[in-house]
């Protein structure tokens, strides 16, 4: 199901990624149910989904950050190596080196008892074996690069001494310390004020094109996705239901869920109109409906939706998981060229 | 609109001053929080959370309040509800001053003014079934238990939850959207005239947020409600509001009809705020940074105009005087429909492009 537009060696490639949470005495939670994508260096793919759709869990699975009772299956290749089967020591070397992650809450990602400078320098020393002075000098350049004013002084700050926006910048500097080829971003702007959010988005865009990273960006915000992505994958109940370029997905959404999500997103020019909504609530991940998981809320559901929905590729590099898309694609094929 | 107001006045026996009298008039509202520390626990600093805030809410309208974290929008809501005592200022509800001798008491005020909070879970008692949570306030105000329960079931119906399914459920058994519906039902239990919605839809997923926004519009029309809608989401505020109040660091910087504020903002902060909104169009992405830096700390804010430290138009005199709220400088007298702005620099109000002198 990975798009055809994929170049020969993607920076990150996932196939059939599934995550199940199993705890004794509780029903099994099917958080991620077969996610696949491939991303080349220099591309930003956004996973767009609502809470509980499995978007953050997918990222954490790639980084090996899930608790022991999570059962992760499938394959994730970064730089040609299968991440999920790496021994812990190798995985530690990969994390913070070739692949890094930034989070919604920087306080959770940084150590409160070390200064910003110490944390960045430590990462560089660990991964590249340089001496501390060199590492500290690079830490200062990194803080400069993420536009933290008076970087030399800020190196000596503890995370709690910085404002929310500055902490987010410091975390980005930490993540970029060893020039990763893949950056995973888990809602990094969600907790920020709107004027700071746009600063961080513009910074990430700049750094991404400068360093040529592959970025997997997770968000629930359609506007943020439009600002940052090359490609969008829409996730619902643990699966991608639609993927394509940002323009395709935002302008000609194919899946009924994508259409509903875009229609229910309030924006200028909708004043006083009744909003189109998606009825009901997302399904429980412990009891997913059979067939298409969106079926119980779908205005276009038919009896065939009780079966596993087909994955259709309406255009090269795009995918839709819906019976209606299949019919549309077949009709298009039947038209003589 | 005036027809709607007249109808409203005719329908509501509690209306006192008629449609022209604002339902809520706030003037000079102030709340400073002391920060204590040091050896003798002396006051070392002051958070000026709300500083000289004045506004009014007309009967039947929705007033949106926008601003970033620390701008004082939630503190204002709590002061209005008398969850905190203001340091100074008056709150007048339909002609009656709150807490004044010949005015309206807090208990009577809360019958007519209710609030819905952002966190749908922590604002419900985890040990009370939904029907009991909703019936609680009417019972406290003297309604017999059986009638209160009946009223709670009606309210569940009104917010789109089937009482047969939801009345006996507990908060943890509901989704976020369902819980927020219950909170709305509970706020409506005493038949208030004004509902304060403090980030009431902010924590919800977009598909659920749209459902709740539709519900709010429907309830407003059916029950003749007036809303004070506080949110950081500029799109939602534009959607729901008749008038908008923009706050920055504890002060009102601009207010007016929603079309004016969104269509022709005069304060440089309002303009930057609106320009920071993600565009929803991949071909028209933001390329010029609207505003640098974080909002300053409300502890010891800048003198004069509080926005001057981030304002590209700032001049020396901006540090000296607190800019008064007044009609835009380029507006003809009487025009603008009550648009007011707190800025003393004509170029800043007009949004003249700035030439950087190297």
């Amino acid at each position: 199901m990975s798009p055809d537009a994929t170049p020969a060696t993607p920076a990150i490639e996932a196939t059939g990624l599934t995550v199940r949470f199993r705890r004794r005495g509780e029903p099994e939670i099917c958080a991620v149910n077969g996610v696949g994508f491939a991303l080349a260096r220099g591309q930003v793919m956004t996973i767009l989904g609502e809470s509980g759709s499995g978007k953050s869990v997918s990222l954490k699975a790639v980084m090996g950050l899930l608790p022991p009772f999570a059962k992760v299956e499938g394959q994730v290749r970064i730089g040609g190596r299968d991440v999920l089967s790496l021994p812990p020591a190798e995985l530690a070397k990969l994390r913070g080196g070739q692949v890094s992650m930034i989070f919604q809450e920087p306080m959770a990602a940084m150590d409160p008892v070390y200064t910003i400078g110490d944390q960045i320098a430590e990462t560089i020393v660990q991964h590249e074996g340089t001496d501390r002075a060199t590492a500290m000098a690079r830490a200062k350049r990194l803080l400069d690069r993420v536009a933290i004013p008076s970087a030399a002084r800020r190196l000596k700050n503890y995370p709690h001494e910085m404002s929310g926006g500055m902490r987010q910048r410091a975390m980005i500097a930490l993540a970029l310390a060893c020039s990763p080829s893949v950056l995973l971003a888990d809602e990094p702007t969600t907790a920020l004020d709107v004027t700071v959010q746009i600063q961080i988005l513009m910074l990430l865009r700049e750094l991404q094109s400068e360093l040529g990273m592959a970025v997997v960006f997770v968000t629930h915000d359609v506007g943020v996705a439009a600002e940052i992505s090359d490609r969008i994958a829409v996730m619902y109940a643990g699966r991608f239901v639609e993927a394509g370029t940002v323009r395709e997905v935002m302008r000609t959404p194919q899946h009924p869920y994508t259409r509903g999500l875009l229609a229910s997103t309030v924006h200028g020019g909708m004043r006083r109109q009744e909003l189109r909504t998606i009825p009901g609530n997302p399904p429980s991940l412990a009891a997913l409906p059979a067939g298409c998981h969106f079926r119980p809320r779908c205005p276009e559901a038919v009896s065939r939706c009780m079966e596993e929905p087909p994955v259709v590729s309406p255009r090269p590099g795009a995918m839709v998981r819906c019976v209606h898309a299949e019919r549309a694609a077949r009709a298009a094929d039947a038209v003589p060229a | 609109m005036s027809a709607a107001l007249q109808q409203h006045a005719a329908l509501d026996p509690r209306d006192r001053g008629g449609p022209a009298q604002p339902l809520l008039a706030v003037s000079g509202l102030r709340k400073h929080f002391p920060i204590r520390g040091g050896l003798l626990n002396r006051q070392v600093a002051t958070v000026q959370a709300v500083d000289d805030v004045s506004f009014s809410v007309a009967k039947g309208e929705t007033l949106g309040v926008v601003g970033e974290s620390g701008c004082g929008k939630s503190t204002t809501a709590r002061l209005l509800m008398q969850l905190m005592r203001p340091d100074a200022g008056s709150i007048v509800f339909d002609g009656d001053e709150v807490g004044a001798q010949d005015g309206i008491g807090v208990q009577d005020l809360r019958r007519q003014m209710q609030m819905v909070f952002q966190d749908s879970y922590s604002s419900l008692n985890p040990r009370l079934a939904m029907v009991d949570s909703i019936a609680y306030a009417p019972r406290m105000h003297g309604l017999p238990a059986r009638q209160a329960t009946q009223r709670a079931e009606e309210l569940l119906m009104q917010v789109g939850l089937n009482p047969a399914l939801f009345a006996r459920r507990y908060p943890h058994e509901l989704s976020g959207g369902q819980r927020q519906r219950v909170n709305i039902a509970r706020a409506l239990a005493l038949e208030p005239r004004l509902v304060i919605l403090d980030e009431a839809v902010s924590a919800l997923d977009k598909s659920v947020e749209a459902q709740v926004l539709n519900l709010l519009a429907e309830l407003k029309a059916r029950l003749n409600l007036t809303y004070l809608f506080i949110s950081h989401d500029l799109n939602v505020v534009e959607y729901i509001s008749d008038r908008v109040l923009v706050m920055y660091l504890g002060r009102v910087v601009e207010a007016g009809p929603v079309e004016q504020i969104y269509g022709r903002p005069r304060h440089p902060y309002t303009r930057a705020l609106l320009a920071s909104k993600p565009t929803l169009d991949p071909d028209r992405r933001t390329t010029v940074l609207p505003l640098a830096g974080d909002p300053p700390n409300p502890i010891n804010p800048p003198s004069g105009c509080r926005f001057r430290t981030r304002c590209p138009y700032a001049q020396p005199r901006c540090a000296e005087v607190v800019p008064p709220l007044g009609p835009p400088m380029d507006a003809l007298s009487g025009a603008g429909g009550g648009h007011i702005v707190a800025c003393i620099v004509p170029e800043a109000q007009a949004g003249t492009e700035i030439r950087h002198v190297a």
Side-chain angles (χ1 to χ4, degrees):
Chain A
M1 63 175 280
S2 56
D4 323 352
T6 306
T9 49
I12 176 169
E13 185 175 19
T15 6
L17 184 66
T18 51
V19 180
R20 308 252 176 285
F21 292 106
R22 281 187 191 147
R23 300 181 95 168
R24 242 207 316 213
E26 284 176 29
E28 185 180 67
I29 308 286
C30 304
V32 180
N33 306 304
V35 158
F37 60 88
L39 201 61
R41 287 195 74 139
Q43 278 199 313
V44 182
M45 181 183 84
T46 293
I47 304 180
L48 181 66
E50 299 184 281
S51 43
S53 61
K55 54 195 193 306
S56 289
V57 174
S58 303
L59 286 198
K60 286 182 182 144
V62 171
M63 286 294 265
L65 295 176
L66 293 172
F69 59 85
K71 195 163 174 295
V72 182
E73 279 171 359
Q75 227 188 20
V76 179
R77 301 184 79 81
I78 292 177
R81 289 202 294 174
D82 185 10
V83 182
L84 299 182
S85 58
L86 281 183
E90 290 286 306
L91 185 63
K93 229 184 267 175
L94 193 77
R95 289 196 294 226
Q98 239 180 330
V99 52
S100 277
M101 185 157 172
I102 55 177
F103 300 85
Q104 178 173 340
E105 185 37 72
M107 279 308 257
M110 292 194 283
D111 195 325
V113 301
Y114 289 97
T115 64
I116 301 292
D118 280 339
Q119 297 188 46
I120 299 177
E122 164 82 6
T123 307
I124 298 170
V125 171
Q126 279 292 319
H127 282 279
E128 301 185 4
T130 55
D131 62 280
R132 243 190 90 77
T134 319
M136 202 51 109
R138 207 157 101 200
K140 184 189 166 293
R141 283 203 301 279
L142 281 161
L143 291 195
D144 277 329
R145 185 60 202 88
V146 297
I148 291 184
S150 40
R153 192 166 54 83
R154 287 297 192 176
L155 281 177
K156 300 193 186 79
N157 274 174
Y158 291 92
H160 74 269
E161 296 176 300
M162 302 179 120
S163 68
M166 284 302 141
R167 266 205 297 265
Q168 208 68 17
R169 287 170 193 272
M171 181 173 62
I172 292 169
L174 177 62
L176 300 183
C178 296
S179 317
S181 55
V182 178
L183 180 69
L184 308 177
D186 187 7
E187 306 245 15
T189 63
T190 303
L192 301 173
D193 278 319
V194 60
T195 60
V196 183
Q197 164 170 282
I198 197 74
Q199 294 171 22
I200 298 294
L201 287 176
M202 288 173 73
L203 175 70
L204 281 172
R205 242 162 36 195
E206 256 172 61
L207 292 168
Q208 180 268 333
S209 66
E210 198 177 297
L211 303 172
M213 292 180 290
V215 178
V216 184
F217 193 102
V218 158
T219 185
H220 69 281
D221 188 323
V222 181
V224 169
E227 284 281 349
I228 193 121
S229 332
D230 298 311
R231 307 173 46 73
I232 293 183
V234 182
M235 198 162 180
Y236 186 80
R239 294 204 287 220
F240 286 179
V241 294
E242 177 162 7
T245 68
V246 58
R247 287 174 188 80
E248 284 166 2
V249 173
M250 298 217 35
R251 295 201 181 131
T252 50
Q254 303 290 309
H255 196 281
Y257 174 67
T258 317
R259 283 204 290 269
L261 188 66
L262 291 174
S264 60
T265 299
V266 181
H267 58 81
M270 298 169 95
R271 276 184 57 65
R272 303 256 170 76
Q273 295 169 26
E274 189 176 343
L275 297 171
R276 278 177 48 207
T277 63
I278 306 176
N281 290 288
S284 157
L285 296 174
L288 286 171
C292 172
H293 298 334
F294 186 59
R295 172 180 49 83
R297 303 175 75 189
C298 183
E300 297 164 42
V302 294
S303 59
R304 264 202 59 202
C305 300
M306 292 294 285
E307 298 157 30
E308 197 60 23
V311 176
V312 185
S313 179
R315 282 174 303 272
M319 68 77 88
V320 188
R321 191 187 292 269
C322 179
V323 286
H324 299 299
E326 185 184 48
R327 195 170 308 140
R330 229 185 268 142
D333 283 346
V335 177
Chain B
M1 173 126 156
S2 66
L5 288 181
Q6 274 158 20
Q7 188 191 13
H8 170 238
L11 282 173
D12 198 330
R14 294 168 296 180
D15 189 24
R16 296 171 45 115
Q21 173 166 294
L23 185 57
L24 183 73
V26 176
S27 84
L29 200 63
R30 193 176 80 203
K31 181 74 188 176
H32 291 184
F33 297 103
I35 294 179
R36 292 180 187 283
L39 197 59
L40 297 168
N41 203 29
R42 276 182 293 220
Q43 184 173 338
V44 291
T46 311
V47 180
Q48 304 193 2
V50 172
D51 202 45
D52 194 16
V53 164
S54 305
F55 62 90
S56 63
V57 189
K59 287 169 183 161
E61 81 169 347
T62 298
L63 176 69
V65 182
V66 288
E68 297 178 279
S69 46
C71 75
K73 51 194 195 301
S74 288
T75 305
T76 302
R78 283 168 169 73
L79 292 172
L80 294 179
M81 279 306 288
Q82 301 289 309
L83 296 172
M84 286 186 240
R85 292 192 64 83
D87 296 341
S90 71
I91 301 167
V92 177
F93 189 88
D94 203 4
D96 292 329
E97 181 163 354
V98 178
Q101 205 138 51
D102 54 349
I104 182 172
V106 171
Q107 188 167 3
D108 283 336
L109 177 77
R110 289 198 186 143
R111 261 180 196 274
Q112 305 205 36
M113 182 154 87
Q114 282 286 320
M115 184 159 167
V116 179
F117 298 86
Q118 173 169 5
D119 188 337
S120 65
Y121 192 74
S122 69
S123 43
L124 288 169
N125 184 335
R127 296 179 187 217
L128 284 187
M130 297 297 89
V131 69
D132 298 326
S133 258
I134 299 169
Y136 192 85
R139 285 183 62 188
M140 287 302 109
H141 280 82
L143 202 66
R146 182 174 296 195
Q147 277 166 273
T149 304
Q150 203 181 354
R151 168 114 185 90
E153 284 174 354
E154 283 166 25
L155 282 161
L156 276 173
M157 206 70 134
Q158 289 206 0
V159 296
L161 297 174
N162 181 353
L165 287 173
F166 288 94
R168 297 309 317 167
R169 289 207 200 172
Y170 289 85
H172 71 271
E173 297 174 298
L174 268 59
S175 72
Q178 290 164 345
R179 276 200 298 269
Q180 206 57 309
R181 286 173 187 266
V182 172
N183 278 312
I184 292 167
R186 193 181 53 163
L188 297 177
L190 293 172
E191 300 182 32
R193 297 164 69 193
L194 176 70
V195 180
I196 301 175
L197 300 147
D198 186 5
E199 302 277 8
V201 298
S202 303
L204 304 176
D205 277 323
K206 288 293 158 194
S207 65
V208 179
E209 177 187 88
Q211 295 172 8
V212 176
L213 286 173
N214 280 342
L215 172 69
L216 288 172
E218 184 199 320
L219 290 171
K220 180 170 185 280
R222 181 140 43 97
L223 306 171
N224 289 313
L225 296 170
T226 301
Y227 288 153
L228 184 69
F229 191 90
I230 298 170
S231 177
H232 70 282
D233 188 325
L234 299 160
N235 287 320
V236 172
V237 167
E238 180 180 15
Y239 170 76
I240 202 166
S241 308
D242 300 307
R243 283 194 313 127
V244 177
L245 195 72
V246 184
M247 290 184 73
Y248 186 77
L249 277 189
R251 291 213 187 115
V252 177
V253 295
E254 188 163 8
V258 64
E259 300 84 4
Q260 298 264 344
I261 299 291
Y262 279 75
R264 218 179 143 199
R266 300 309 212 295
H267 199 284
Y269 174 65
T270 312
R271 261 201 310 277
L273 193 64
L274 293 172
S276 301
K277 219 168 49 161
T279 50
L280 281 167
D281 183 347
D283 287 324
R284 291 170 56 196
R285 288 184 179 168
T286 314
T287 49
V288 182
L289 200 60
L291 198 58
D294 288 9
N297 199 325
I299 300 172
N300 303 327
S303 68
C305 173
R306 292 185 173 177
F307 184 58
R308 71 183 160 81
T309 50
R310 297 169 87 191
C311 180
Y313 302 94
Q315 298 177 359
R317 63 194 172 117
C318 296
E320 289 154 22
V321 287
V322 175
L325 274 167
M329 292 172 188
D330 58 351
L332 303 167
S333 58
H339 190 164
I340 46 172
V341 56
C343 179
I344 55 171
V345 182
E347 300 78 52
Q349 285 203 12
T352 317
E353 212 167 303
I354 302 171
R355 281 168 204 277
H356 288 283
V357 184

